[in-house]
Amino acid sequence: MIAEQTLTEHYFRVRLHSEAICRGLETEDYVVQPVVDVSPPKWHLGHTTWFWETFVLKPNAPGYRIFHEDFSYVFNSYYETVGKRVLRTDRGNLSRPTVAGVYAYRAYVDEQMGRFLDTADLSPDLHALILLGLNHEQQHQELLITDIKYILGHNPLLPAIEMPFLEHQPQRSGNSVFIPEGIYTVGFQPTDGQTDGVFYFDNEVGAHKVYLNNATLAGKLVTNGEYRAFIEAGGYRNFRYWLSDGWAWVNANSVQAPLYWHQVDGAWWYYTFDGLKPVDPDAPLCHVSQYEADAYARWKGQRLPTEFEWEVAASTVNPALNWGARWEWTNSAYLPYPGFQTAEGAVGEYNGKFMSGQMVLRGASVATPDGHSRTTYRNFFQPDKRWQYTGIRLVTEA
Amino acid sequence: MIAEQTLTEHYFRVRLHSEAICRGLETEDYVVQPVVDVSPPKWHLGHTTWFWETFVLKPNAPGYRIFHEDFSYVFNSYYETVGKRVLRTDRGNLSRPTVAGVYAYRAYVDEQMGRFLDTADLSPDLHALILLGLNHEQQHQELLITDIKYILGHNPLLPAIEMPFLEHQPQRSGNSVFIPEGIYTVGFQPTDGQTDGVFYFDNEVGAHKVYLNNATLAGKLVTNGEYRAFIEAGGYRNFRYWLSDGWAWVNANSVQAPLYWHQVDGAWWYYTFDGLKPVDPDAPLCHVSQYEADAYARWKGQRLPTEFEWEVAASTVNPALNWGARWEWTNSAYLPYPGFQTAEGAVGEYNGKFMSGQMVLRGASVATPDGHSRTTYRNFFQPDKRWQYTGIRLVTEA
Amino acid sequence: MIAEQTLTEHYFRVRLHSEAICRGLETEDYVVQPVVDVSPPKWHLGHTTWFWETFVLKPNAPGYRIFHEDFSYVFNSYYETVGKRVLRTDRGNLSRPTVAGVYAYRAYVDEQMGRFLDTADLSPDLHALILLGLNHEQQHQELLITDIKYILGHNPLLPAIEMPFLEHQPQRSGNSVFIPEGIYTVGFQPTDGQTDGVFYFDNEVGAHKVYLNNATLAGKLVTNGEYRAFIEAGGYRNFRYWLSDGWAWVNANSVQAPLYWHQVDGAWWYYTFDGLKPVDPDAPLCHVSQYEADAYARWKGQRLPTEFEWEVAASTVNPALNWGARWEWTNSAYLPYPGFQTAEGAVGEYNGKFMSGQMVLRGASVATPDGHSRTTYRNFFQPDKRWQYTGIRLVTEA
Amino acid sequence: MIAEQTLTEHYFRVRLHSEAICRGLETEDYVVQPVVDVSPPKWHLGHTTWFWETFVLKPNAPGYRIFHEDFSYVFNSYYETVGKRVLRTDRGNLSRPTVAGVYAYRAYVDEQMGRFLDTADLSPDLHALILLGLNHEQQHQELLITDIKYILGHNPLLPAIEMPFLEHQPQRSGNSVFIPEGIYTVGFQPTDGQTDGVFYFDNEVGAHKVYLNNATLAGKLVTNGEYRAFIEAGGYRNFRYWLSDGWAWVNANSVQAPLYWHQVDGAWWYYTFDGLKPVDPDAPLCHVSQYEADAYARWKGQRLPTEFEWEVAASTVNPALNWGARWEWTNSAYLPYPGFQTAEGAVGEYNGKFMSGQMVLRGASVATPDGHSRTTYRNFFQPDKRWQYTGIRLVTEA
């Protein structure tokens, strides 16, 4: 049981981490949106703040006055319930509110939140909502990092910037993990309600039984060097390795290598937060789509794990998987667990409505905030997405 | 064990059924392609013939001379391995070969096939390939029907045409089916090899165990009348019922009702092979997307079955489901079974490469050829497709 | 003054020519629409018939009964005033009405028109309307030819078909024409009202003065051989020769040669109504866009004529231009003459509303019907279009 | 003859004006690009500076060292000649170089230019090039203003900003101008070479004769109040008033009013640099496309002037037009004058390659820099563009 005191500390620590990620940015870097998947850093900072204002302070803090009506409008991502204004703008066109304005918004809301957390007698529901808000902000922290990387990595100056983690450190050793055929229990099982401080999302809750067949998960992730062999073997030019949708994606986008890789005079380089660097053959591969992961596995005569094979290998079996460097693509579609229920209200839009057309990733990455990973966590993206820190772990039957 | 003699009969019966479907068409109806999902009937008739010529006769019938080189090119759907010609045309632009030419192609190949089947001593592999060809043609028969319906149902004259089945007959009664929690075996289990005449596709083979929770499948499909209540309750205008992708689809396409439904002076009509008719409230709903099926279920506070719940309810449990009127959308993504292997060669492209972005449908429809359905059969389409005879069966937990 | 008798003859002669053009078609060729610019031959035959029914018979022939309400809907190109039906279909999706049905429509309307012309005492306005209808049908005759060529020339079988003219005959000799600086009168000048049988369109009427500078128009059109030199000099790969829009068009469409040209083992062939033939270096170039015409002229250090230079060179000067093999691209935008007035009613939509974004072509082509060309005629297309029989004539200043 | 001294002054005055326009911007406003037509203010400031560096200093100033290689790449608009780098980015994605970096670039180049102009003995060609550069920067000044307006006018906060001119001042009175039929000379006629300080663009040079018919140009521009009557008469909903392309544009974009107009509770407001204000019925209409201008004129039974009618009315006739508040759409396509020659080299791309698909605007607007307008000036945009200060002047024949 975490005391209220601790929750305030937790709140400030999370909030400060969002700003720490942005410490190296120029004002201009906060504003642009090169593609629709990427949000301007300014927007992440504002949107996470809007969450606290809208769902915690406004309905619960007596006498709370919202910072500015326009901010509520601009930083609301739940468009379905709003849409009242005339002007339809994209996030990347919004020069106003300014970055300074967004930081002022954060400061105002943080001060109010501090006061509120210090004095309020939080109901279990409100406590749970605050945990949700913290986890929501942590999710945006990883997106902040990957969106900043996209913005700078698509700027012809390829600028370096300081970030509080190492992207391409060597892999920890790991033994392969064998899963014997049988019934396993997967999914998050809350023991004492959510107020004990252990957080979970609605999409992972509901321990349930699954039947798994014999399978062996590789102890290490696929490395850059291993993947380069696939490129050099013509992997991107041979339709036989690809899912039909994947092959269409390769051709429509002229894909020839992972995101951020550039071939210069025959050698492979990649953009990192330290600038353009030679690809390290021993580091785990990063920034591949599920299509690429699947094609690579097929080229190797292996396959990707299912999300339940991964979860069992990471939790039940001993010794378990070493994980955490890359989000690991599975070949499981993102679908509801037995008994899944959508929560009421705007918060209910959180996860359930995305359960179509996306694939599950398991684990965590070097960009995932501390305390925001667990073996039941279900991350999800469309199979063509690759600006996250995504990698590949192979499986062999039996 | 089916004798070779019987195989010849089987061959001719299947081939004649393709032509029987088209008996009511005008020459012009064979040619057009209103949308990319729909192929001109002429193309189906030519493509299925090309299969026999290319995979059976050419490599196995000594001295076989191909009918015409251009036909091989035009009716080949495996574009990845061809693509040698200069001109890139869409199927719907091909006025030549003519319909008469296609029927001549069929006659020529049928005569050669008859001779070949009468005299050849078929190896097990060749026998299996012929079964595949027959099932391939049966798949195209259902597409022929649905594509003809699309062509005529999008013609402002809404012409009637005779078809060898009833689209909107009353539902057979059926009791709901309860599945008790436990381990079940699903998937096709070949007993004595494929040469015993029992056909299966590569995507359904591989009996394996799954763990199911308590669930109850409805005994009847959702009717037109029940679905109309969803329309009238504003179901198409309220985002809360929809998956995110589904809501985008509704808005991008201004969807307001199932395919082929038209509102005339406040009443609902639908296009059928008998022309425009008032919607029968008691007939099972047809021509909905998986998005619509999912939204309807959510509106009802229920859900769609998984493909394994369906398979168990249709086979293991007693009494089992009544099925066969509509392809039933499940909430299972179309993914490989444990141990799935892609076959070698062009035939290997058959199913596996589509295992991304599609949802499984189970059962069969009024348009499915006799002998082409079984409880392990896995049909699959993208969740926005609705020109097949698709319907909804609801599930309640426990 | 043409007698009513003669008008009937004229009517039947024009109507029969439309059908003569289609004599070599298979039923399937009438139906398809490979691109939006091209209409199915069936549609041309129906639409021209719809004109007579709608504008002549229905309002003027007592007791006239329309052939079929659906035909009126399907063959109406004036969508702005209709649009009442639910189904929105493209011309190329319409398998019905059938080709036989369209010919029956023509026969019915022709019989009614024959009866009407024999007995009616035509007012000057009605006489003028009939002349408009005949010229409207003649315009569609040239489109019929070019659309049929597009349909067959984009079919991988590249079928030959008989047509009542020679596409690539040798050029008639011609001397260059010098225009001395000064005032000239251009535009059609009706002498005795339109009922004297001399037809003109609303866009060409209104004789008016223009001031021209010294210019010399080439006596012959650019030949295929001359244009091939432009291709071989890298003309399609060097932006310096191209208008900005033209360069974008070249790149977006990977244009490398005129329409219908194919390079086979290093040699140039083109599709003709006689099938695929070697490009004749001495025949006048055909099937180029205005962008290509302009780029070629720039490469030669010359330019295209204005429409008034062309008109003066073709009419006022002696000896005048030899013309008629190709529609000749000018560098004049299609804009109204001084005092241009839009006619009342649906007929008024005829020309004026297209006076934006199109360029004028002057002359006529081998596909133009006899009696449908004059020196004041203004043809017009967007500068990227090239499926008409378009060619290039160069100009030098002074 | 302007002395070298004066040229330096002229240079600094123009350069400072670019920065003056931006004085009210926040850093963030410099960066975004809401639509492809609009460039980020940062880009304008960098690009105009790149012009001086690339065309003047680099080839002519001995020992000149370029500021930064990346800047040359990023601020080059002549993509055809460059394209060497791997990354393809849009202007609106470029967070780097920063705004501060761009101002440093300007300061560096200005200092070098000042030194160069003070000491160099300028050849006539170089003098002409410097005049071109100044006019180039003045063109970008008007674009800077209109792009800033677009950026702020599409921000939901609709921020006000100070600008050095009044957008919506009352119209100066003006009498209508009658042009009697006859020959007139139009086009710029350089008297003593370009070094006399009178600048002209390549597209306007070449005095030549044209023949005009009687016409009367209105003395005043169409006002907001007059145009509102067109809106209220259903002008945007009746296809009869519109060119075919214009009607397609209205429908594809759901256009219902001029750009920046918003209907709030039945009243019309527009965004101005002072924020959202009620539409002033007496101010001249602004921000309409050529399609809207043409439709309005047709609704009034009048028409737009040709560019030569405008030029004659503004220069030859006495008393001449009052002009300068709005760029006035003409119904003349932007095409070359007799004898037009494209200049050599990159500067030659300046105007000629855009002579397709655009319409001429004449006059100037409240946003046009002082000294950058004359009666022979030919501005040009595609007919659907309306973010410039565009308005309407009507013409009646005779």
Side-chain angles (χ1 to χ4, degrees), chain A residues 293-304:
Chain A
D294 182 89
Y296 178 81
R298 197 163 310 173
W299 178 69
K300 294 290 282 187
Q302 297 181 259
R303 66 169 174 83
L304 302 179

Side-chain angles (χ1 to χ4, degrees), chain C residues 144-167:
Chain C
L144 254 179
I145 290 168
T146 54
D147 290 1
I148 290 169
K149 184 165 182 180
Y150 195 97
I151 289 166
L152 300 180
H154 286 78
N155 187 297
L157 281 62
L158 294 175
I161 192 178
E162 204 151 329
M163 271 288 165
F165 65 91
L166 294 173
E167 289 180 284

Side-chain angles (χ1 to χ4, degrees), chain C residues 205-208 335-342 355, chain D residues 176-181 211-218 294 297-298 300-306 309 331 393-398:
Chain C
V205 77
H208 62 285
L335 291 168
Y337 280 2
F340 174 77
Q341 293 296 333
T342 301
M355 289 176 174
Chain D
S176 64
V177 173
F178 172 71
I179 302 173
E181 182 174 24
Y211 194 95
L212 299 184
N213 291 281
N214 287 339
T216 301
L217 281 75
D294 182 89
R298 197 162 311 173
K300 295 290 282 186
Q302 297 181 256
R303 64 170 175 84
L304 302 179
T306 66
E309 287 171 342
N331 200 29
R393 186 186 302 274
L394 295 178
V395 172
T396 44
E397 320 273 352

Side-chain angles (χ1 to χ4, degrees), chain C residues 78-397:
Chain C
Y78 298 85
Y79 292 112
E80 306 305 354
T81 59
V82 190
K84 54 179 187 279
R85 285 271 190 113
V86 170
L87 286 171
R88 177 111 184 92
T89 52
D90 296 320
R91 292 177 188 171
N93 302 342
L94 295 176
S95 61
R96 312 287 180 95
T98 62
V99 173
V102 171
Y103 275 108
Y105 183 34
R106 291 184 72 88
Y108 175 81
V109 164
D110 281 348
E111 198 187 313
Q112 302 284 324
M113 278 296 295
R115 206 170 297 166
F116 177 72
L117 292 174
D118 282 349
T119 60
D121 188 14
L122 300 178
S123 68
D125 274 7
L126 194 49
H127 195 154
L129 182 65
I130 287 166
L131 284 183
L132 176 66
L134 292 170
N135 278 272
H136 172 255
E137 183 136 358
Q138 287 180 314
Q139 288 187 307
H140 279 278
Q141 286 166 358
E142 184 150 3
L143 290 171
L144 254 179
I145 290 168
T146 54
D147 290 1
I148 290 169
K149 184 165 182 180
Y150 195 97
I151 289 166
L152 300 180
H154 286 78
N155 187 297
L157 281 62
L158 294 175
I161 192 178
E162 204 151 329
M163 271 288 165
F165 65 91
L166 294 173
E167 289 180 284
H168 297 290
Q169 75 272 58
Q171 281 205 77
R172 289 176 295 169
S173 63
N175 294 314
S176 64
V177 173
F178 173 70
I179 301 173
E181 182 174 23
I183 296 181
Y184 294 89
T185 297
V186 295
F188 188 88
Q189 181 59 53
T191 49
D192 193 20
Q194 191 155 327
T195 52
D196 64 352
V198 181
F199 180 80
Y200 52 88
F201 280 111
D202 57 355
N203 62 11
E204 66 186 291
V205 77
H208 62 285
K209 291 177 187 149
V210 294
Y211 194 96
L212 300 184
N213 291 281
N214 287 339
T216 301
L217 280 77
K220 300 186 75 174
L221 298 171
V222 171
T223 64
N224 289 322
E226 288 165 344
Y227 195 82
R228 198 176 55 201
F230 171 67
I231 299 175
E232 286 164 1
Y236 282 97
R237 297 190 304 275
N238 191 333
F239 73 93
R240 292 185 192 281
Y241 306 130
W242 295 85
L243 290 162
S244 182
D245 287 357
W247 186 239
W249 171 81
V250 163
N251 287 291
N253 298 283
S254 304
V255 181
Q256 297 178 333
L259 187 63
Y260 300 122
W261 286 38
H262 302 281
Q263 202 167 21
V264 183
D265 300 330
W268 285 105
W269 296 64
Y270 50 16
Y271 173 71
T272 72
F273 282 125
D274 297 321
L276 199 64
K277 298 288 173 192
V279 167
D280 177 355
D282 298 323
L285 174 69
C286 201
H287 297 304
V288 288
S289 67
Q290 207 251 4
Y291 297 140
E292 288 165 297
D294 182 87
Y296 177 81
R298 198 163 308 175
W299 177 69
K300 294 291 282 187
Q302 297 181 256
R303 64 169 174 83
L304 302 179
T306 66
E307 62 168 322
F308 298 135
E309 287 171 342
W310 192 95
E311 185 172 329
V312 166
S315 54
T316 310
V317 178
N318 191 347
L321 284 185
N322 265 339
W323 57 274
R326 301 286 178 263
W327 284 104
E328 304 182 18
W329 280 114
T330 72
N331 200 30
S332 294
Y334 178 52
L335 291 168
Y337 280 2
F340 174 77
Q341 293 296 333
T342 301
E344 290 295 310
V347 173
E349 289 192 49
Y350 209 81
N351 275 311
K353 72 175 177 178
F354 297 113
M355 289 176 174
S356 181
Q358 311 210 28
M359 300 303 283
V360 172
L361 300 108
R362 289 299 194 106
S365 85
V366 289
T368 309
D370 286 345
H372 191 72
S373 54
R374 54 194 167 273
T375 56
T376 58
Y377 196 101
R378 304 175 81 199
N379 200 353
F380 51 92
F381 281 95
Q382 282 93 359
D384 64 330
K385 298 297 184 277
R386 52 186 199 159
W387 91 110
Q388 301 301 302
Y389 286 83
T390 51
I392 307 175
R393 188 186 300 274
L394 295 178
V395 171
T396 44
E397 322 272 353

Side-chain angles (χ1 to χ4, degrees), chain A residues 47 51 78 132-133 135-137 139-140 199 201-203 334 342-343 345-354 380:
Chain A
H47 169 69
F51 184 102
Y78 299 84
L132 176 66
N135 278 272
H136 172 254
E137 183 138 357
Q139 288 186 307
H140 279 279
F199 180 80
F201 280 111
D202 56 355
N203 63 9
Y334 177 54
T342 300
V347 172
E349 289 191 51
Y350 208 82
N351 276 312
K353 72 174 177 179
F354 297 112
F380 52 92

